[in-house]
Amino acid sequence: MFKKDERLSKEEFSSLFHYPKVNRGPLFSVYYKKGDETKVAVMCSRRVGNAVKRNDAKRKIKACVQGLKLQKEAGLLGFLVHKPLNKVASKDINKAVSSQVIALGEH
């Protein structure tokens, strides 16, 4: 779990999804906004499944993001999971997270 200063506040969360910088992938979308520090939020749509499957998907994404060791200049990141991740291998999720975050940094 992320510490309180590593999570997005309600205001930051709302502003993040109105910001045009987004990288859409087959499993999830990554929203990005420049900021002073790195903050992360993960949310799942109901299409992913019941509460157990949604929590599992969020847990997998959070584990991958914590493993990335994001730089301070990364800014605000929001992950919107829109496909079930229960049949996807962890290494594939990790690869997808890192490639989408790197792609955002290049824009």
Side-chain angles (χ1 to χ4, degrees), residues 32-87:
Y32 173 74
K33 184 177 179 182
K34 280 236 183 248
D36 297 334
E37 54 191 337
T38 303
K39 291 190 175 188
V40 179
V42 180
M43 84 180 231
C44 287
S45 69
R46 290 210 174 173
R47 271 187 272 170
V48 172
N50 61 12
V52 174
K53 290 180 183 175
R54 290 194 305 267
N55 289 339
D56 185 49
K58 288 191 272 187
R59 198 175 300 118
K60 287 179 181 180
I61 297 290
K62 287 176 186 177
C64 294
V65 171
Q66 285 180 334
L68 280 179
K69 307 263 193 259
L70 298 170
Q71 300 89 1
K72 282 289 184 187
E73 65 270 12
L76 309 178
L77 290 170
F79 291 86
L80 174 60
V81 181
H82 46 79
K83 293 277 175 120
L85 300 178
N86 56 348
K87 295 180 181 172

Side-chain angles (χ1 to χ4, degrees), residues 87-100:
K87 295 180 181 172
V88 181
S90 293
K91 66 177 182 175
D92 295 335
I93 296 171
N94 198 3
K95 186 176 177 182
V97 168
S98 60
S99 65
Q100 285 192 0

